[in-house]
Amino acid sequence: MSNLLYLNTENTHSLSKDILKPKIDRDKIKTGIAHIGLSNFHRAHQAYYIHELIEKHDELNFGICGIDLLESDRKIYNILKDQDGLYTLVIKNADGTQEYKIIASIIEYFYGPENPLAAIERLARPDIKIISLTIAEDGYHLNETTGEFNLTHPKVKEDTISKFNPKTVFGYLTQAFMLRKHRGLPGCTILSCDNIKANGATIKKSFYTYVEKTEPSLLPWLKKNTSFPNSMVDRITTVTTTKDIELLKETYNIHDQWPVVCEPFSKWIIEDDFIAGRPDWDKVGIEFVQDIEPYENTKLRILNAGHSILGILGTLNGYKYVHEVANDEHFIFFLESFIKTEVNPNFQNIDQHNLKAYTKEVIERFKNTHINDSLSRICKESSSKIPIFVFPTLKDQITNHQSIEYGTFVIAAWCKYYDGIDDFGHSFDIQDSLSNQLIRTAALSHQNPQLFLEKNAFFKDLVTHDLFQERFKYYLSKLRSTPIKECLVLMNKKML
Ligand code: CS2
């Protein structure tokens, strides 16, 4: 490991020729986007597209200013500062080949917890035409029961009191737009890039609710000067491991403290509603549509639900990675049956052949043995994922008096997941902001299964449905007495 090169601007010139180095003069790039939440996903997706646009199409007006708001983001903020915003994107193809690309589109970075006013000031400057977000499902603070913005969430409540030291994105945006309004500056677009239904409409509604409560005089200005397009984002991006970091050192002599690993597939579809202009994203394959709903629904209900299902079921069987579960015929047969029987019939305006092809493609992506996507990533915060990814299918099936067998089996397995022990007696970690409540209610369900449904508010619409309750109890008792794989074999033969 001689001549180990720390990744930064100066060292890019000396990097191995096998790495795709940025062909970008960064001094010429102006910031046009502020992105909140510098997650791996953002770095594999939106920042990648902007990089491509700058490099291949000479787009100089939409460099990214990264802004992190969470205490837990300190590490990535420090690393990006150290590395001049540069990082390696490692694209792992299904055939085992890999592409290494240094991404250079993040040109500024701010860290809210260190200096909230500086972050607010930056968001208020008129060069920022788009504020994009990846704040994860739980960053939206939606009420578990109503799905509406939760004004009583402790962090939200704190922000309504401590306005200039906010913790939530809502607090930051409010103060930034207050400044823009007072200074007579233009507004901008808020672009959500998270996996939630109608992500633009949701952030808009939540933000307006927050502003109405905290700075009501800002609301009319906001209505005139901001837009909130819905978007569908897609690229499987894994948790970076020490092995990924070591491999870069050994193979290319690069010391990148936080590279990002992802699959080759990538998609971004957006409603074209940008009040202050946007880059020519079409040039790098981004699609613009009038109505995002069909794209978003298929992605959430097939890909994201599929992920969660393999994550929960696979963990119970002792698997650790998505590809292990996706290459096990019993699990895949179950997933395909769920999609065919309970998901697809609800997409009445989409051609069934296209749905079949989409499902096939998604499962092929799950089978990629090289990306090592961990089940712990998939199962993390599943209390805010399952209600978005799986419940809508169950609810539609109930409304249409159609099968809910596969979906209910998944919910029963999800309850068993909170026992925290797989079928081989090994315990696994549960990472969820509601983990205490979920573990406690799963424990209660050993005596009375109904309590898992009654004591978790997100079951509100389902808990009163007799058939759902009955099938949930039935599958839970089977799952608690029989290993998951045996249950799936029986389920797949329609014998359970
Ligand atoms: C995953 C997503 O977190 C999850 O549950 O399903 O992160 C998924 O990998 C991405 O949405 C793919 O675009």
Side-chain angles (χ1 to χ4, degrees):
M1 238 185 274
S2 57
N3 305 326
L4 195 59
L5 290 169
Y6 280 79
L7 185 57
N8 56 35
T9 312
E10 203 187 314
N11 287 345
T12 47
H13 311 292
S14 325
L15 293 177
S16 151
K17 61 178 177 22
D18 298 328
I19 298 252
L20 296 167
K21 299 182 213 177
K23 292 183 215 73
I24 289 179
D25 179 354
R26 293 177 101 204
D27 293 338
K28 287 198 185 138
I29 308 172
K30 295 188 203 111
T31 302
I33 298 177
H35 183 84
I36 300 186
L38 292 169
S39 58
N40 277 4
F41 177 69
H42 167 70
R43 296 196 287 140
H45 193 264
Q46 300 99 54
Y48 158 81
Y49 280 111
I50 290 290
H51 175 97
E52 293 290 282
L53 208 51
I54 300 172
E55 193 171 73
K56 300 196 174 125
H57 301 279
D58 221 17
E59 172 58 79
L60 300 175
N61 294 318
F62 284 94
I64 299 173
C65 167
I67 302 186
D68 274 319
L69 304 182
L70 303 175
E71 277 301 335
S72 51
D73 293 333
R74 187 180 289 275
K75 184 170 166 200
I76 186 64
Y77 165 72
N78 283 335
I79 290 176
L80 284 177
K81 245 187 354 179
D82 254 21
Q83 300 187 172
D84 302 325
L86 299 172
Y87 60 93
T88 319
L89 186 63
V90 185
I91 302 172
K92 296 198 175 175
N93 300 313
D95 64 4
T97 54
Q98 306 180 355
E99 220 176 278
Y100 292 80
K101 197 173 173 71
I102 308 289
I103 303 292
S105 52
I106 302 178
I107 51 175
E108 290 179 68
Y109 4 82
F110 283 77
Y111 182 54
E114 196 172 78
N115 192 343
L117 293 181
I120 290 169
E121 269 294 336
R122 190 63 192 95
L123 286 166
R125 293 235 306 267
D127 57 340
I128 304 285
K129 309 281 188 246
I130 298 169
I131 299 177
S132 54
L133 315 170
T134 48
I135 53 174
E137 293 81 356
D138 56 339
Y140 288 79
H141 303 304
L142 300 176
N143 181 299
E144 289 166 40
T145 321
T146 61
E148 302 287 320
F149 183 57
N150 185 3
L151 269 170
T152 61
H153 188 283
K155 271 178 141 188
V156 176
K157 262 171 95 177
E158 222 181 281
D159 276 10
T160 60
I161 300 160
S162 175
K163 289 185 181 175
F164 300 103
N165 186 15
K167 301 278 178 294
T168 72
V169 74
F170 303 99
Y172 276 92
L173 292 180
T174 305
Q175 291 314 316
F177 285 119
M178 285 293 282
L179 289 180
R180 285 194 188 222
K181 180 181 167 227
H182 286 308
R183 292 172 184 168
L185 297 171
C188 68
T189 300
I190 311 227
L191 176 61
S192 163
C193 303
D194 282 298
N195 289 318
I196 57 169
K197 196 169 161 39
N199 53 14
T202 303
I203 186 79
K204 174 178 174 178
K205 200 161 168 227
S206 300
F207 184 41
Y208 282 3
T209 309
Y210 180 86
V211 171
E212 202 159 22
K213 163 98 181 148
T214 53
E215 302 284 359
S217 64
L218 177 65
L219 205 52
W221 184 92
L222 273 183
K223 288 186 177 167
K224 272 201 217 114
N225 295 288
T226 50
S227 64
F228 299 81
N230 293 303
S231 75
M232 192 285 290
V233 290
D234 194 4
R235 181 169 230 179
I236 296 174
T237 308
T238 66
V239 174
T240 307
T241 62
T242 323
K243 216 168 144 196
D244 298 321
I245 296 173
E246 290 307 312
L247 201 71
L248 264 176
K249 284 189 195 160
E250 280 158 24
T251 326
Y252 294 113
N253 283 331
I254 302 184
H255 184 41
D256 179 345
Q257 301 171 69
W258 201 326
V260 178
V261 177
C262 67
E263 62 170 344
F265 181 97
S266 189
K267 213 171 201 32
W268 196 0
I269 307 181
I270 319 177
E271 287 174 358
D272 202 354
D273 180 17
F274 288 79
I275 198 164
R278 62 161 170 87
D280 285 338
W281 268 317
D282 338 40
K283 290 182 179 158
V284 285
I286 293 168
E287 294 166 49
F288 288 93
V289 293
Q290 291 282 326
D291 177 15
I292 204 76
E293 200 179 330
Y295 304 95
E296 164 201 277
N297 264 344
T298 42
K299 200 241 163 178
L300 295 175
R301 293 186 185 202
I302 295 177
L303 186 146
N304 295 113
H307 250 162
S308 284
I309 291 172
L310 297 187
I312 304 289
L313 272 46
T315 301
L316 293 179
N317 190 53
Y319 285 134
K320 298 281 177 259
Y321 295 99
V322 174
H323 65 84
E324 294 172 337
V325 203
N327 284 298
D328 184 322
E329 55 175 336
H330 303 299
F331 288 80
I332 278 306
F333 192 84
F334 175 89
L335 179 59
E336 284 170 341
S337 308
F338 165 73
I339 295 171
K340 190 168 146 213
T341 323
E342 297 179 5
V343 178
N344 287 354
N346 298 300
F347 298 131
Q348 273 148 16
N349 299 327
I350 307 176
D351 186 290
Q352 289 296 318
H353 289 294
N354 291 348
L355 287 171
K356 229 169 133 184
Y358 178 69
T359 307
K360 196 166 168 245
E361 179 187 55
V362 163
I363 290 176
E364 280 312 308
R365 289 166 61 195
F366 289 170
K367 286 184 175 168
N368 183 334
T369 48
H370 301 281
I371 54 172
N372 286 321
D373 196 11
S374 65
L375 298 187
S376 59
R377 177 185 84 85
I378 301 295
C379 296
K380 191 172 175 187
E381 295 303 333
S382 62
S383 67
S384 40
K385 293 179 178 176
I386 302 277
I388 298 174
F389 304 159
V390 182
F391 284 15
T393 292
L394 273 168
K395 287 182 196 164
D396 278 355
Q397 289 292 94
I398 288 173
T399 309
N400 298 329
H401 306 288
Q402 296 299 317
S403 161
I404 54 167
E405 296 304 312
Y406 295 102
T408 313
F409 180 92
V410 170
I411 303 300
W414 189 40
C415 173
K416 186 178 178 218
Y417 172 86
Y418 293 106
D419 291 346
I421 297 187
D422 69 23
D423 285 337
F424 300 94
H426 301 123
S427 58
F428 49 83
D429 263 0
I430 292 165
Q431 299 175 61
D432 202 301
S433 34
L434 295 183
S435 62
N436 287 347
Q437 170 189 318
L438 288 157
I439 291 169
R440 186 171 41 81
T441 51
L444 293 174
S445 76
H446 282 263
Q447 294 301 320
N448 180 356
Q450 181 70 11
L451 291 180
F452 184 72
L453 305 179
E454 278 173 12
K455 293 201 175 290
N456 288 302
F458 41 69
F459 284 117
K460 186 200 78 161
D461 292 337
L462 292 169
V463 76
T464 51
H465 191 264
D466 292 343
L467 181 63
F468 173 71
Q469 281 180 24
E470 190 255 302
R471 301 313 285 157
F472 171 77
K473 284 181 205 161
Y474 171 75
Y475 286 129
L476 185 57
S477 83
K478 290 286 174 204
L479 280 159
R480 286 220 166 106
S481 58
T482 316
I484 181 97
K485 200 147 180 168
E486 278 179 42
C487 287
L488 290 178
V489 170
L490 293 173
M491 195 74 194
N492 291 340
K493 291 186 184 156
K494 298 204 186 321
M495 284 168 63
L496 194 70

